[in-house]
Amino acid sequence: MVVPAKAFRAAVAGASGYAGGEVLRLLLAHPRIEIGALTGGSNAGTRLGELQPHLLPLADRVLQPTGPETLAGHDVVFLGLPHGQSAAVAEQLGEEVLIVDCGADFRLKDPVDWETFYGSPHAGTWPYGLPELPGARDALKGSRRIAVPGCYPTAVTLALIPAYAAGLAEPEVVVVAASGTSGAGKAAKTHLLGSEVMGSMSPYGVGGVHRHTPEMTQNLSQAAGERVAVSFTPTLAPMSRGILATCSVKARPGVTAEQVRAAYSSAYAAEPFVHLLPEGRWPSTSAVLGSNHTLVQVALDRSVGRITVVSAIDNLTKGTAGGAVQSMNIALGLPEELGLPQTGVAP
Amino acid sequence: MVVPAKAFRAAVAGASGYAGGEVLRLLLAHPRIEIGALTGGSNAGTRLGELQPHLLPLADRVLQPTGPETLAGHDVVFLGLPHGQSAAVAEQLGEEVLIVDCGADFRLKDPVDWETFYGSPHAGTWPYGLPELPGARDALKGSRRIAVPGCYPTAVTLALIPAYAAGLAEPEVVVVAASGTSGAGKAAKTHLLGSEVMGSMSPYGVGGVHRHTPEMTQNLSQAAGERVAVSFTPTLAPMSRGILATCSVKARPGVTAEQVRAAYSSAYAAEPFVHLLPEGRWPSTSAVLGSNHTLVQVALDRSVGRITVVSAIDNLTKGTAGGAVQSMNIALGLPEELGLPQTGVAP
Amino acid sequence: MVVPAKAFRAAVAGASGYAGGEVLRLLLAHPRIEIGALTGGSNAGTRLGELQPHLLPLADRVLQPTGPETLAGHDVVFLGLPHGQSAAVAEQLGEEVLIVDCGADFRLKDPVDWETFYGSPHAGTWPYGLPELPGARDALKGSRRIAVPGCYPTAVTLALIPAYAAGLAEPEVVVVAASGTSGAGKAAKTHLLGSEVMGSMSPYGVGGVHRHTPEMTQNLSQAAGERVAVSFTPTLAPMSRGILATCSVKARPGVTAEQVRAAYSSAYAAEPFVHLLPEGRWPSTSAVLGSNHTLVQVALDRSVGRITVVSAIDNLTKGTAGGAVQSMNIALGLPEELGLPQTGVAP
Amino acid sequence: MVVPAKAFRAAVAGASGYAGGEVLRLLLAHPRIEIGALTGGSNAGTRLGELQPHLLPLADRVLQPTGPETLAGHDVVFLGLPHGQSAAVAEQLGEEVLIVDCGADFRLKDPVDWETFYGSPHAGTWPYGLPELPGARDALKGSRRIAVPGCYPTAVTLALIPAYAAGLAEPEVVVVAASGTSGAGKAAKTHLLGSEVMGSMSPYGVGGVHRHTPEMTQNLSQAAGERVAVSFTPTLAPMSRGILATCSVKARPGVTAEQVRAAYSSAYAAEPFVHLLPEGRWPSTSAVLGSNHTLVQVALDRSVGRITVVSAIDNLTKGTAGGAVQSMNIALGLPEELGLPQTGVAP
């Protein structure tokens, strides 16, 4: 493939992990990005082929150590680092480099939230890489810093923006979301072994303690114009990829099914990566495997006066690397959809 | 194995399905039950070994047609039939036979609920086979009719009885439950193919339309002493067995975490098949695969004032056949736990 | 995306099935193909979004009936039809249309083989869509007929061509291959239900009766220059996609590990879609999920004098639709790799 | 449950692992065994409920350190230890204690084989816990030492004993076996993460290097009365439990399908835990999940003159803990089937 003359060069820090691997999968298909340095921590010195055997075109690349000496000289740097490390790397790279942080460091606006949930000093807040959130797309244009949202907040925020933006829902939501195991990362842990997860569903981080809770609260409150209380229960599902988020909110008095549908229909009519399904069809995670799309469906249960919204994303694509590339496109002035997968790999 | 002199003979109608197969698996291990006739619909005439190859001790049994001529002469008859067919069979068998209906026909008390959700005339109401529900155990003693609960209502009711019985929760609950595919039965349907369900989570019956909703409402209202509104979303998970039910209720004002724990702890201290996990441990469906146990954990999220309860069962064991055998034991005056599996098959 | 002026228009017959769906997934990413008519049998009249929800860009397309009136007027027609139907359709379309048959009708050269395994008259033989097979690439150039290979023969032939072409192996091979369930198609059958296949491995078509056996024999005999006897056992694995083929052949006397490696290394050095892994690395099906690549590794077991070769493909991509598009590219004079996925979707 | 007066007390060393957990699951259902000490290495001091949540009746037991002070005073001691550690423990316990070693230390007769494959001095040879192997049952009677076979050798040996004992097959066999991930143990390793194994098949230990190879060779040679060469390729399948072993041997000249079937039929007619399926039915691992049974089927492929045998076991039950308990029963003079599961948990 001929790389166009004005290509951007991108480095990926943390190329051995699941987020880094997915960023690379997408960049390989991106017509305006040339892949530069790939770095890793303990895996520096290893061929990428041994760590990410699905990325054949990069199999013979060798991981370099993560640091300014390897990351300098790129137009874009993707960071897939443990939280707390991004600020130092960003400082070393300079303001003209577009830094896309797939970690949590710069997502939250409220330092107290950060310190409560992460237990370390707050590093700051960067433009938030969820273009569909009101105001976010403008903030991303021309920005040189992007905080990529968490995977659960992406699925949940996209499920609920229309209901809150249209004033249809009370400011308290119950969310139960199922995630594939790749959301837990690639570090070897007993409870994530295939033997443990296959054939099993289990919750974790129950009772408001999951770190994605304040991020959802922040997004939904922004959409609603008032503070939204979020009761969030994540569950681990026996699949590698995908998030299915089921959200239940009390409808404001008098809200009709037609109003609900109209709000969702108009909110997402022009969004390239959020798709409201025809009535009667519900999302499945398999339909978006490897795709940057979000599938959404909504129903009003009149008997209990609640709105149920379900969204499905691929946690590694739209939920991480795809959202990152989509936001990068906006920041670089490229077409928002450029190079991003429009179809899932199914069955 | 020597069958004790006073054994009961049991027939199973619908022996080729998943519910019937699980009843047989449990009866094979039951020291006081002798397995009599096995019947099927379109599968009559077929060796059980071709339909249920895991039931080796019964492999050479041949299915007979379902009808009074094959089901007569047994002490117990388990029915695993399509809904609407149990009443006629029951009438033909006589009042002295213990009939255990794994179908829905006799679960609901309110004929309007039945007709709304099933679209046919209401057949009646039988003693409800969830011994843990207040009053149910007494009604089962000596009864010759048992309506086995639905799998979702079993998981959800056991999750919430203590909160409602102790008056800790507002009468509105949001339930999101994930079920293995065996809950959808053994009939060949495209959307249940392995290719479609592996690697995928999806919801169905959203918006209050799932038939188990009125059954949950009935049970929880009974426990609470007031009508409880249920918002229920079932999801299909990529596993064969298991239900994980996540339930969220608003705590009544002033309720403390200690009160919540005490309510659950005392409610289930003496229950043989409901186990409140130690604090910090959460249920997984794999831990109860093939077991008649229910695992429960509860947390109070003070920041939003809600109680989250999660329960896990095997939908075919405690959720169907195990609950059926447990109730049968009570009805026959046998020890409630007799012959029922106490351990899961894990990993 | 701007479609180049000289685009080819392609129709897909059987667009509701797994093969047809994968052809469409690939064509959507192909820069020189414009997607024309989509046809189906019993699904004619249905929106594609209901049948293939992962193909969002085509969601609103409605399936037309399969026939000359809908398939005419295209440059390329992909057939994903039940076997026995392709010849009639091909005749109606004319000689100038490129017909790519994903079915079995035109794969076998020997009419007796066809009649033995398929029980119907032999329709003929078309150029064989496995470009890596000696002689095949030349036959495909400019051809207007392509017989796409079966998925197992693709995996097994690519595993063994180098050993036979270099004269390293005795002409008798034992093959045990595991396939994802999508290889069995989308028709609803009880034994393919998720409940039946998850957590289970099972063989089928054992003892030389699988219809892909004569196709493997044909290919390997062509590579070896003598008749190769194939003992083939396919097994069904609990995954949607992928074939892992394990092949064992007796090494000719005196053959060394270095000779074996050299044969494989040189045979595949220039192949765009067959990748010999570095020594010590073995293929996995997940590494090629959604990709058109074939991963191969080989070992000589000196203690028993046998060569073991393992290959991994995605049965729907390289094993069906990807092989079809690769062959189409050759037939149309396009670059062989055009539009074909080079990376897998993992994890 | 009332424990009979003459119960045996059993300790389990390595109770936190998969083998130890399965031994406990079976012993909990065994009417003549009382469970004594449970020991672990790094997990000593932990509640069993945290490590094996499916073993509810033992949830509050706390693991003790593994050593003579905790293991002494039992009639039976099961060892689930890393290889190389069993000899020292056995010496400390005395000759009158029945020691059932689930590890590899005492399986092989040939010290050279041991040293070649395990790289340490040979500890010796104990009576081999595969009662179905000619001569093994007699050696187990009254023995106070048992070497439990490896899981693959169990599946493969049971598949091939009849063919070799009846002189029907040439002394060279090709085996390709698929195993669930629990066979790889509970230690956290990246390549065994759920994200890596779900949806994926891959081989390992190819080319004669897997440690179970000499054990198969030993068993099959014993059955055949001559040295049998084994080409063995294990593969990892996306399921927790189960082994499906596909074995291919050249039939001796003139061997007929009837002879093959007769040999298998008579060899296993009286075996309580090996079941030859009716003609046309093939084994699946799901049918034996949690069961101690072995399912076997055999076919003669006349076109290539080879016999294909497929067997299915649960690697943790018949392949480890069930075989251990079955052998223990024989050694203690109990009925061989006592307490062992006869049915699988399916679907």
Side-chain angles (χ1 to χ4, degrees):
Chain A
M1 186 172 61
V2 181
V3 178
K6 292 191 183 177
F8 300 92
R9 269 189 96 232
V12 177
S16 62
Y18 289 150
E22 185 74 351
V23 167
L24 288 171
R25 185 177 76 88
L26 300 180
L27 294 185
L28 278 165
H30 197 290
R32 298 295 302 281
I33 298 291
E34 182 189 359
I35 296 175
L38 310 183
T39 77
S42 58
N43 288 306
T46 307
R47 288 176 64 251
L48 194 69
E50 300 194 19
L51 302 163
Q52 310 274 20
H54 62 298
L55 302 175
L56 268 190
L58 301 171
D60 291 328
R61 289 287 205 89
V62 174
L63 290 202
Q64 299 177 273
T66 300
E69 67 288 355
T70 52
L71 298 175
H74 296 84
D75 304 297
V76 188
V77 174
F78 289 87
L79 302 181
L81 304 174
H83 71 80
Q85 302 187 2
S86 298
V89 174
E91 268 176 36
Q92 295 165 323
L93 292 177
E95 292 185 355
E96 73 289 358
V97 179
L98 172 54
I99 303 180
V100 186
D101 186 13
C102 296
D105 294 22
F106 297 96
R107 293 173 188 162
L108 296 182
K109 296 174 182 169
D110 183 343
V112 175
D113 274 350
W114 175 268
E115 284 155 27
T116 303
F117 281 83
Y118 291 87
S120 60
H122 188 224
T125 311
W126 287 356
Y128 191 67
L130 189 68
E132 297 85 357
L133 189 67
R137 200 170 261 122
D138 283 345
L140 289 167
K141 281 182 189 151
S143 172
R144 285 298 168 264
R145 295 292 185 269
I146 298 171
V148 179
C151 50
Y152 287 120
T154 295
V156 171
T157 305
L158 294 175
L160 292 166
I161 286 174
Y164 281 121
L168 303 175
E170 302 288 349
E172 181 182 30
V173 60
V174 174
V175 176
V176 179
S179 173
T181 53
S182 62
K186 204 173 177 174
K189 295 173 185 168
T190 301
H191 76 284
L192 296 174
L193 286 176
S195 301
E196 300 292 316
V197 300
M198 287 188 281
S200 193
M201 293 281 310
S202 58
Y204 62 102
V206 189
V209 302
H210 192 281
R211 286 170 166 176
H212 285 177
T213 307
E215 190 180 343
M216 293 180 204
T217 303
Q218 174 177 294
N219 294 353
L220 299 180
S221 301
Q222 180 177 331
E226 65 179 319
R227 181 164 182 90
V228 174
V230 177
S231 166
F232 173 53
T233 306
T235 65
L236 194 66
M239 57 190 190
S240 290
R241 288 180 174 231
I243 287 179
L244 188 84
T246 303
C247 310
S248 172
V249 288
K250 202 162 189 66
R252 289 240 148 98
V255 165
T256 66
E258 292 67 32
Q259 285 177 297
V260 173
R261 183 136 203 104
Y264 275 77
S265 189
S266 67
Y268 289 140
E271 280 299 342
F273 291 117
V274 189
H275 183 80
L276 178 66
L277 288 164
E279 289 192 66
R281 310 291 305 172
W282 289 86
S284 67
T285 60
S286 55
V288 290
L289 191 139
S291 154
N292 200 49
H293 274 286
T294 308
L295 297 180
V296 176
Q297 185 55 289
V298 61
L300 175 65
D301 179 352
R302 285 188 197 84
S303 67
V304 297
R306 297 189 73 95
I307 300 168
T308 305
V309 198
V310 181
S311 64
I313 62 168
D314 184 319
N315 59 305
L316 291 179
T317 319
K318 179 60 176 168
T320 306
V325 170
Q326 182 183 353
S327 298
M328 174 202 79
N329 283 341
I330 296 170
L332 294 177
L334 299 171
E336 189 170 329
E337 299 151 82
L338 197 66
L340 284 164
Q342 301 276 352
T343 62
V345 180
Chain B
M1 185 172 63
V2 180
V3 177
K6 293 189 184 179
F8 300 91
R9 269 189 97 231
V12 177
S16 62
Y18 289 151
E22 185 74 351
V23 168
L24 288 171
R25 186 178 75 86
L26 299 181
L27 295 185
L28 278 165
H30 196 291
R32 298 297 300 281
I33 299 290
E34 182 189 0
I35 296 175
L38 311 183
T39 77
S42 58
N43 288 306
T46 306
R47 286 177 64 252
L48 194 70
E50 299 193 20
L51 302 163
Q52 309 275 21
H54 61 297
L55 302 175
L56 267 190
L58 300 171
D60 291 329
R61 288 288 204 91
V62 175
L63 289 201
Q64 299 175 272
T66 300
E69 66 288 356
T70 52
L71 297 176
H74 295 84
D75 303 297
V76 188
V77 174
F78 289 88
L79 302 180
L81 304 174
H83 71 81
Q85 302 187 1
S86 298
V89 174
E91 269 176 35
Q92 295 164 324
L93 292 176
E95 293 187 354
E96 74 288 359
V97 179
L98 172 54
I99 303 179
V100 186
D101 187 14
C102 296
D105 294 22
F106 297 96
R107 292 172 189 162
L108 296 183
K109 295 174 183 169
D110 183 344
V112 175
D113 273 351
W114 176 269
E115 284 155 26
T116 303
F117 280 84
Y118 290 87
S120 60
H122 188 225
T125 311
W126 287 357
Y128 191 67
L130 189 67
E132 298 84 357
L133 189 67
R137 199 169 262 124
D138 285 342
L140 290 168
K141 280 181 190 152
S143 171
R144 285 299 167 264
R145 295 290 185 271
I146 298 171
V148 179
C151 50
Y152 286 121
T154 295
V156 171
T157 306
L158 294 175
L160 292 166
I161 285 174
Y164 281 121
L168 303 174
E170 301 289 347
E172 182 182 28
V173 59
V174 175
V175 176
V176 179
S179 173
T181 53
S182 62
K186 204 173 176 175
K189 295 174 185 169
T190 302
H191 76 283
L192 297 174
L193 286 175
S195 302
E196 300 292 317
V197 299
M198 288 187 282
S200 192
M201 293 281 310
S202 59
Y204 62 102
V206 189
V209 302
H210 192 282
R211 287 170 166 175
H212 286 179
T213 307
E215 190 180 343
M216 293 180 205
T217 303
Q218 173 177 296
N219 294 353
L220 299 180
S221 300
Q222 180 177 333
E226 65 179 318
R227 181 165 180 90
V228 174
V230 177
S231 166
F232 173 53
T233 306
T235 66
L236 195 66
M239 57 189 190
S240 291
R241 288 182 174 227
I243 286 179
L244 188 85
T246 303
C247 310
S248 172
V249 288
K250 203 162 189 65
R252 289 241 147 97
V255 165
T256 65
E258 292 67 32
Q259 284 175 297
V260 172
R261 184 136 202 102
Y264 275 78
S265 189
S266 67
Y268 289 140
E271 280 298 341
F273 291 115
V274 189
H275 183 80
L276 177 66
L277 288 164
E279 289 192 66
R281 311 291 305 173
W282 288 86
S284 68
T285 60
S286 56
V288 290
L289 191 138
S291 154
N292 200 49
H293 273 286
T294 309
L295 297 179
V296 176
Q297 184 56 289
V298 61
L300 175 66
D301 180 350
R302 283 189 199 84
S303 68
V304 296
R306 297 189 73 95
I307 300 168
T308 304
V309 198
V310 181
S311 65
I313 61 168
D314 184 318
N315 59 306
L316 291 180
T317 319
K318 178 62 177 168
T320 306
V325 171
Q326 183 183 351
S327 299
M328 175 202 78
N329 282 341
I330 296 171
L332 295 177
L334 299 171
E336 189 170 330
E337 298 152 84
L338 196 67
L340 285 164
Q342 301 277 351
T343 61
V345 180
Chain C
M1 184 173 63
V2 180
V3 177
K6 293 191 184 176
F8 300 93
R9 269 189 98 229
V12 177
S16 62
Y18 289 150
E22 185 73 351
V23 167
L24 288 171
R25 186 178 75 87
L26 300 181
L27 294 185
L28 278 166
H30 196 290
R32 297 295 302 280
I33 299 290
E34 183 189 359
I35 296 175
L38 310 184
T39 77
S42 58
N43 288 307
T46 306
R47 287 177 63 252
L48 194 69
E50 300 193 20
L51 302 164
Q52 309 275 20
H54 62 298
L55 301 175
L56 268 190
L58 300 171
D60 292 328
R61 288 289 203 89
V62 174
L63 289 202
Q64 299 177 274
T66 299
E69 66 287 356
T70 53
L71 297 176
H74 295 84
D75 303 297
V76 188
V77 175
F78 288 88
L79 301 180
L81 304 174
H83 71 81
Q85 302 187 0
S86 298
V89 174
E91 269 177 34
Q92 295 165 324
L93 292 176
E95 292 186 354
E96 73 289 359
V97 179
L98 173 54
I99 302 179
V100 186
D101 186 13
C102 296
D105 294 22
F106 298 95
R107 292 173 189 162
L108 296 182
K109 295 175 183 169
D110 183 343
V112 175
D113 273 351
W114 175 268
E115 284 155 27
T116 302
F117 281 85
Y118 291 87
S120 60
H122 189 225
T125 311
W126 288 356
Y128 191 68
L130 188 68
E132 298 84 356
L133 189 66
R137 200 170 261 123
D138 284 343
L140 290 167
K141 280 181 191 153
S143 171
R144 284 299 168 261
R145 294 292 184 271
I146 299 171
V148 179
C151 50
Y152 286 121
T154 295
V156 171
T157 305
L158 294 175
L160 292 166
I161 286 174
Y164 280 120
L168 303 175
E170 301 289 347
E172 180 182 32
V173 59
V174 174
V175 176
V176 179
S179 173
T181 53
S182 62
K186 205 174 177 174
K189 295 174 186 167
T190 302
H191 76 283
L192 296 174
L193 286 175
S195 301
E196 300 292 317
V197 299
M198 287 188 281
S200 192
M201 294 282 309
S202 58
Y204 63 103
V206 189
V209 302
H210 193 282
R211 286 170 166 175
H212 286 178
T213 308
E215 190 180 344
M216 293 181 205
T217 304
Q218 173 177 295
N219 294 352
L220 299 180
S221 300
Q222 179 176 333
E226 64 179 318
R227 180 162 183 92
V228 174
V230 177
S231 165
F232 172 53
T233 306
T235 65
L236 194 66
M239 57 189 192
S240 290
R241 288 180 174 231
I243 287 179
L244 188 84
T246 303
C247 311
S248 172
V249 288
K250 201 160 191 66
R252 289 239 147 99
V255 165
T256 66
E258 292 66 32
Q259 284 176 297
V260 172
R261 185 136 203 104
Y264 275 78
S265 190
S266 67
Y268 288 140
E271 280 299 341
F273 291 116
V274 189
H275 183 79
L276 177 66
L277 288 164
E279 290 193 67
R281 311 292 304 175
W282 288 87
S284 68
T285 61
S286 55
V288 289
L289 190 138
S291 154
N292 200 49
H293 273 287
T294 308
L295 297 180
V296 176
Q297 185 56 288
V298 61
L300 174 66
D301 179 351
R302 283 188 199 85
S303 68
V304 296
R306 297 189 74 94
I307 300 169
T308 304
V309 198
V310 181
S311 65
I313 62 168
D314 185 320
N315 59 305
L316 292 179
T317 319
K318 179 60 176 167
T320 306
V325 170
Q326 182 182 353
S327 298
M328 175 202 78
N329 283 342
I330 296 171
L332 294 177
L334 299 171
E336 189 171 329
E337 298 153 83
L338 196 66
L340 284 164
Q342 301 276 351
T343 61
V345 180
Chain D
M1 186 172 62
V2 180
V3 178
K6 292 190 184 176
F8 300 93
R9 270 189 97 230
V12 176
S16 62
Y18 289 150
E22 185 74 351
V23 167
L24 288 171
R25 186 178 76 86
L26 300 181
L27 294 186
L28 278 166
H30 197 291
R32 298 295 302 280
I33 298 290
E34 182 189 0
I35 296 175
L38 310 183
T39 77
S42 59
N43 288 307
T46 306
R47 286 177 65 253
L48 194 68
E50 300 194 19
L51 302 163
Q52 309 274 21
H54 62 298
L55 301 176
L56 268 189
L58 300 171
D60 291 329
R61 289 288 204 89
V62 175
L63 289 202
Q64 299 177 274
T66 300
E69 67 288 356
T70 52
L71 298 175
H74 295 83
D75 303 297
V76 188
V77 175
F78 289 88
L79 301 180
L81 304 174
H83 72 80
Q85 302 187 1
S86 298
V89 174
E91 268 176 36
Q92 295 166 323
L93 291 176
E95 292 186 354
E96 74 289 359
V97 179
L98 172 54
I99 303 179
V100 186
D101 186 13
C102 296
D105 294 22
F106 297 95
R107 292 173 189 162
L108 297 182
K109 295 175 182 169
D110 182 343
V112 175
D113 273 351
W114 174 269
E115 283 155 27
T116 304
F117 281 84
Y118 290 86
S120 60
H122 188 225
T125 312
W126 288 356
Y128 191 67
L130 189 68
E132 297 85 357
L133 189 66
R137 200 170 262 123
D138 284 342
L140 290 167
K141 281 181 190 152
S143 172
R144 285 299 168 264
R145 295 292 184 269
I146 299 171
V148 179
C151 50
Y152 286 121
T154 294
V156 171
T157 305
L158 294 175
L160 292 166
I161 286 174
Y164 280 121
L168 303 174
E170 301 287 348
E172 181 181 31
V173 59
V174 174
V175 176
V176 179
S179 173
T181 53
S182 61
K186 203 172 178 176
K189 294 174 186 169
T190 301
H191 76 283
L192 296 174
L193 286 174
S195 301
E196 300 292 316
V197 299
M198 287 187 282
S200 192
M201 293 282 309
S202 59
Y204 62 103
V206 189
V209 302
H210 192 284
R211 286 171 167 175
H212 285 178
T213 307
E215 190 180 341
M216 292 179 206
T217 303
Q218 173 177 295
N219 293 352
L220 299 180
S221 301
Q222 180 177 331
E226 64 179 318
R227 182 164 182 91
V228 174
V230 178
S231 165
F232 173 53
T233 306
T235 65
L236 195 65
M239 57 189 190
S240 291
R241 287 181 175 228
I243 286 179
L244 189 84
T246 303
C247 310
S248 172
V249 287
K250 202 162 189 66
R252 288 242 148 99
V255 165
T256 66
E258 291 67 33
Q259 284 176 298
V260 172
R261 184 135 202 103
Y264 276 78
S265 190
S266 67
Y268 289 140
E271 279 298 342
F273 290 116
V274 188
H275 183 80
L276 178 66
L277 288 164
E279 289 192 66
R281 311 291 306 173
W282 288 86
S284 67
T285 60
S286 56
V288 290
L289 191 138
S291 153
N292 200 49
H293 273 286
T294 308
L295 297 179
V296 175
Q297 185 55 290
V298 61
L300 174 65
D301 179 351
R302 284 188 197 84
S303 68
V304 296
R306 297 189 74 95
I307 300 168
T308 304
V309 198
V310 181
S311 64
I313 62 168
D314 184 319
N315 59 306
L316 292 179
T317 318
K318 180 59 177 167
T320 306
V325 171
Q326 182 183 353
S327 299
M328 174 202 79
N329 282 341
I330 296 171
L332 294 177
L334 299 171
E336 188 170 332
E337 298 152 83
L338 197 67
L340 284 165
Q342 300 276 351
T343 61
V345 180

